[in-house]
Amino acid sequence: MMATRAHGLDERGMAAVMALIVVLALSLLVAAFLAVSAFEPQISQNLAEAIQAQYAADAGIEWAFDKLVDTNSWNTLLTGAADCATPVTPAGWSNVSVPNLIGVFTVSLRNDCLAGDDQITGVAVDNVTGTAINDGNGVVILTATGSFHGAQKKIQVVMRRHLPPGLSFPAAVNEPGLQSDTNVVCAEKEGPCANFQIDGRDYACSTCTPETDAPWYKSGNWSASGSASKLGIATQPGNQANLGEPPTTYVQNVENAFTSGSQNQAAQKQTSVTGKDQTSGLAAMGATNTLTPDSLQNLLSTLSSNPKTQILQSTLACPMQITGDVGGPTSTPTVTNGCGKSQTIDLGTPSNPQLVYFRGDLDPTSNFTGLGINNQVQGAGILVVEDGDLKVFGNLTWHGVIIVTGRNVGAGFMDGSTTMINGALVSNETVWNEQPGFAELHLGTMLGSATFHYSQQALDLMNRIRKNHTLYGWRTVSN
């Protein structure tokens, strides 16, 4: 018994077994660590490639933003869209490579006309006037796919243009409001009248491009292209309420300014207006519902609701003045208000058009000049003067649209001033009972001149104002 027990308790060799077990465990751990370390470079590489693909997708969104800003009608990019749910990739938008970017990107877009798109865009679904190939509200949904060494990342954003789609100006000079009082200054009896030209033919500059400014400012580069589809002067239909009996329509009220005075004076004034189908004089004036106070208010609401829009306040006590250079025209003049405000303002150029918005005060006397322009000034894009007169005392050249709108307002081109507008002028009176003796359009250029040429090419600059475009709703979407 004692011998058997002693043999059973003999544990010699156990250390060797334990050592083998420990070595095996350590070997397994080392193998695992080696395996993980072998994967780490690949994991790191995959992460780096995914990040680079993300950068490429970001670049695609920024690239597409520029393309959309430079495209007048987004419908040209939606061409070929099968339905509201399926994005379309325009020609040249696939596998795009740009300098200093590692990787490529592809960008597609679709109109926001699919049920539920309001959850993405924050606005009503564009299914009333819009379709898969027709943008009706200035909102599209972009998807950019960035690719690098097989890694892909997708970003989806919403892009909005803060201009009502389909906005149209029916004439070179538009008076769509509740009054259309027009004043053309003439000397007494048989004397001459103000020097002006209003032309509804579509003026174009064959040498002008969005990238180069200089050709836009050479008058010899501009010419009327064919017969006009626009009026010289347009009003809204109906009668002007404050003119009493017999009823006088808005367009008749304008025509009265061109038939008054002597026969020679009336002839001089009428031959200075050209319009639809090469007609001139009274035939170049007409009433239309193309532009209404409501559509103008919609435009102003859209512009002012854009958080990028800076509205400059002009008050009765401190009215705004733009003062340009004496030696030559400038697009970066000084704006002052006589109450301590003085700053340089960017009025835009054809290569970089701007939205410039002034808002004034209600003045029942109608004597408030919300914005005066002095010396030599030029600009491009949209100029808005709300609740105050615009008066040009110096030289102004503008490509795009100038809108004077609000209560007791008018556009005045004063004696000695020189104005050239390629695009359209709008003077929109929003109250019907302004005091007599104040005009929505005052042509006083006995010395100097006032020229208004309708130009779709210049009006298209409105669509290229960068601050009128917003990217929002960024999100990563699954591949």
Side-chain angles (χ1 to χ4, degrees):
M1 289 292 293
M2 293 297 293
T4 302
R5 182 183 179 96
H7 180 73
L9 295 176
D10 186 1
E11 296 180 355
R12 286 176 297 174
M14 198 60 160
V17 174
M18 293 299 296
L20 289 173
I21 293 173
V22 170
V23 169
L24 178 60
L26 289 175
S27 298
L28 292 174
L29 287 173
V30 170
F33 287 144
L34 289 175
V36 170
S37 64
F39 284 127
E40 279 185 353
Q42 184 63 48
I43 293 172
S44 179
Q45 182 179 351
N46 290 344
L47 179 59
E49 291 176 354
I51 292 174
Q52 198 60 57
Q54 180 83 19
Y55 290 155
D58 286 337
I61 294 296
E62 297 294 340
W63 180 88
F65 177 86
D66 289 339
K67 293 294 184 182
L68 285 164
V69 168
D70 289 337
T71 303
N72 289 323
S73 173
W74 292 349
N75 293 345
T76 60
L77 301 175
L78 294 169
T79 300
D83 52 57
C84 293
T86 306
V88 61
T89 302
W93 289 37
S94 296
N95 297 319
V96 179
S97 177
V98 296
N100 302 318
L101 174 68
I102 301 174
V104 297
F105 56 78
T106 295
V107 184
S108 60
L109 76 161
R110 65 178 182 85
N111 193 27
D112 60 321
C113 51
L114 184 68
D117 277 347
D118 54 325
Q119 302 300 314
I120 301 173
T121 65
V123 298
V125 174
D126 186 17
N127 57 6
V128 177
T129 58
T131 63
I133 59 174
N134 178 52
D135 168 41
N137 64 350
V139 176
V140 292
I141 299 172
L142 299 175
T143 302
T145 303
S147 302
F148 179 68
H149 286 180
Q152 284 193 341
K153 288 292 182 179
K154 285 187 178 182
I155 297 175
Q156 187 179 84
V157 301
V158 178
M159 184 159 178
R160 181 178 181 185
R161 174 174 279 167
H162 296 269
L163 281 177
L167 181 69
S168 179
F169 300 97
V173 173
N174 303 270
E175 300 183 66
L178 300 182
Q179 292 192 2
S180 61
D181 300 339
T182 302
N183 181 36
V184 181
V185 175
C186 295
E188 295 182 0
K189 298 181 180 179
E190 294 292 330
C193 296
N195 182 24
F196 69 95
Q197 182 186 62
I198 299 173
D199 198 334
R201 293 176 297 170
D202 190 6
Y203 275 73
C205 171
S206 59
T207 61
C208 293
T209 65
E211 295 79 25
T212 306
D213 293 327
W216 292 76
Y217 295 102
K218 295 180 180 178
S219 58
N221 291 340
W222 292 85
S223 60
S225 56
S227 62
S229 59
K230 304 293 182 177
L231 295 162
I233 304 176
T235 71
Q236 69 165 307
N239 297 327
Q240 186 163 314
N242 67 333
L243 294 181
E245 296 294 336
T248 302
T249 65
Y250 294 108
V251 70
Q252 287 172 342
N253 191 34
V254 172
E255 291 172 349
N256 289 341
F258 292 85
T259 57
S260 61
S262 69
Q263 185 175 359
N264 288 338
Q265 289 173 332
Q268 178 191 340
K269 290 186 287 185
Q270 291 177 35
T271 55
S272 297
V273 183
T274 304
K276 189 175 183 180
D277 300 324
Q278 304 283 14
T279 56
S280 62
L282 302 184
M285 307 172 194
T288 172
N289 277 322
T290 302
L291 187 67
T292 66
D294 287 343
S295 61
L296 268 178
Q297 186 55 51
N298 182 34
L299 170 62
L300 295 179
S301 298
T302 303
L303 294 177
S304 60
S305 65
N306 180 0
K308 298 179 183 178
T309 300
Q310 179 187 11
I311 298 180
L312 300 170
Q313 188 67 48
S314 182
T315 66
L316 293 172
C318 305
M320 289 287 191
Q321 297 278 334
I322 290 178
T323 303
D325 290 344
V326 176
T330 177
S331 60
T332 54
T334 301
V335 60
T336 59
N337 65 355
C339 298
K341 184 179 184 63
S342 178
Q343 69 180 68
T344 299
I345 187 172
D346 185 0
L347 297 181
T349 62
S351 62
N352 186 27
Q354 298 292 324
L355 166 63
V356 185
Y357 200 127
F358 290 86
R359 179 173 289 159
D361 280 341
L362 172 61
D363 178 19
T365 71
S366 298
N367 288 312
F368 174 49
T369 302
L371 179 64
I373 296 180
N374 309 282
N375 295 342
Q376 300 185 56
V377 174
Q378 62 187 21
I382 303 173
L383 172 61
V384 177
V385 182
E386 183 180 8
D387 284 344
D389 291 344
L390 167 68
K391 290 183 180 177
V392 180
F393 300 99
N395 295 350
L396 172 65
T397 299
W398 192 269
H399 298 297
V401 64
I402 295 178
I403 300 172
V404 183
T405 183
R407 303 159 292 179
N408 305 330
V409 301
F413 303 90
M414 314 311 290
D415 193 19
S417 67
T418 300
T419 298
M420 164 61 78
I421 298 176
N422 287 319
L425 169 72
V426 179
S427 184
N428 177 54
E429 178 59 69
T430 60
V431 296
W432 66 270
N433 56 349
E434 183 181 22
Q435 296 182 30
F438 297 94
E440 280 62 61
L441 176 65
H442 172 81
L443 298 171
T445 48
M446 299 292 288
L447 296 176
S449 63
T451 303
F452 312 91
H453 287 168
Y454 180 86
S455 171
Q456 188 60 53
Q457 184 178 7
L459 288 172
D460 285 343
L461 293 176
M462 294 189 301
N463 293 325
R464 298 185 60 250
I465 299 174
R466 294 183 68 85
K467 69 171 59 174
N468 281 346
H469 298 79
T470 302
L471 286 176
Y472 64 97
W474 293 66
R475 63 175 186 163
T476 300
V477 293
S478 59
N479 292 322

